[in-house]
Amino acid sequence: MNHYITGETIRTLREKKGLTQKDLANILMVSDKTISKWETKKGYPDIGILEQLASCLDVSIAELLTGDFITNKNRSGNMLRSVFYVCPVCGNIIHSMGESMISCCGIALPPLEAEPEDDQHTFFIEPMETDSYISIEHEMSKQHYISFIACVTSSKIELIKLYPEQNAECRLFLRGHGILYMYCNKHGLIKKRF
């Protein structure tokens, strides 16, 4: 598996931007022969130039290195398109408004796919003053627990981090329509529309 930028990636991105080898060379302040060497696999860009190269090709460094490009087709952004990622090493929770290239602890994280509620993972919702009290009857041990509860609407996200020492419950401001999420460390992401 190649873990460094390929000549094909550079050529594809350069052509996509409508740049000639000479144009790219002028931007990077290198010779057009250098660009040609990169694209014909006779050399590689120095690691010190990767940030500038990624920037002028309009991709992230991670996209440049892997050759996997993410295109956001919905520029307006809608919170209901939320995607969650959880690191299996440190438990880090990462939220994105669409698929992204996310890594943590040196691991590329796949987007979590939410499943509907089931008998073991059910949201109980009770109105309480201006909020809603959300509870889940679920084991909360260090081996099996709910890591977070989140409420996502078209304009906001509210995420509550939970720990094995506490109950799987919280108060959230539920208004309008949206999606409730819970993340079980053994069974993954669960959702319920409200």
Side-chain angles (χ1 to χ4, degrees):
M1 184 161 121
N2 189 1
H3 292 287
Y4 201 70
I5 185 170
T6 66
E8 183 179 328
T9 299
I10 295 171
R11 183 185 51 75
T12 300
L13 291 170
R14 176 182 59 76
E15 289 174 351
K16 187 176 173 183
K17 291 276 298 177
L19 299 172
T20 64
Q21 287 182 345
K22 189 166 186 73
D23 294 334
L24 184 58
N26 289 337
I27 294 168
L28 297 174
M29 294 189 286
V30 298
S31 72
D32 54 337
K33 289 181 183 179
T34 299
I35 304 296
S36 177
K37 284 181 184 179
W38 296 346
E39 292 183 1
T40 57
K41 302 178 187 176
K42 294 178 182 166
Y44 293 102
D46 184 82
I47 196 161
I49 202 170
L50 288 186
E51 187 173 350
Q52 186 182 3
L53 179 60
S55 176
C56 74
L57 295 175
D58 288 332
V59 294
S60 69
I61 293 175
E63 289 172 309
L64 187 62
L65 291 172
T66 63
D68 295 328
F69 316 116
I70 304 294
T71 303
N72 184 356
K73 294 180 177 80
N74 180 13
R75 294 278 181 206
S76 64
N78 180 335
M79 295 300 286
L80 291 173
R81 295 178 184 262
S82 287
V83 179
F84 294 95
Y85 302 82
V86 175
C87 178
V89 176
C90 70
N92 192 9
I93 302 163
I94 302 163
H95 169 260
S96 175
M97 287 178 39
E99 278 199 45
S100 302
M101 291 187 63
I102 304 289
S103 65
C104 188
C105 297
I107 301 168
L109 303 178
L112 297 176
E113 291 191 31
E115 299 291 329
E117 286 182 298
D118 58 31
D119 293 339
Q120 297 174 0
H121 302 92
T122 303
F123 291 96
F124 297 96
I125 305 169
E126 296 176 49
M128 182 176 277
E129 299 168 0
T130 60
D131 295 338
S132 293
Y133 174 72
I134 311 295
S135 62
I136 302 159
E137 292 180 9
H138 192 280
E139 177 181 348
M140 290 297 280
S141 68
K142 289 187 179 189
Q143 293 76 36
H144 192 191
Y145 60 93
I146 300 296
S147 175
F148 69 84
I149 299 173
C151 169
V152 179
T153 66
S154 62
S155 62
K156 71 175 180 106
I157 177 172
E158 188 175 1
L159 188 142
I160 308 295
K161 176 71 176 120
L162 302 174
Y163 299 92
E165 304 83 34
Q166 68 185 101
N167 293 327
E169 59 190 16
C170 66
R171 288 177 68 159
L172 294 170
F173 186 75
L174 302 183
R175 293 294 180 268
H177 299 285
I179 305 171
L180 279 173
Y181 290 98
M182 73 173 91
Y183 179 74
C184 172
N185 73 321
K186 289 196 180 244
H187 299 101
L189 194 64
I190 312 294
K191 70 179 177 181
K192 173 184 180 138
R193 294 193 176 275
F194 66 90

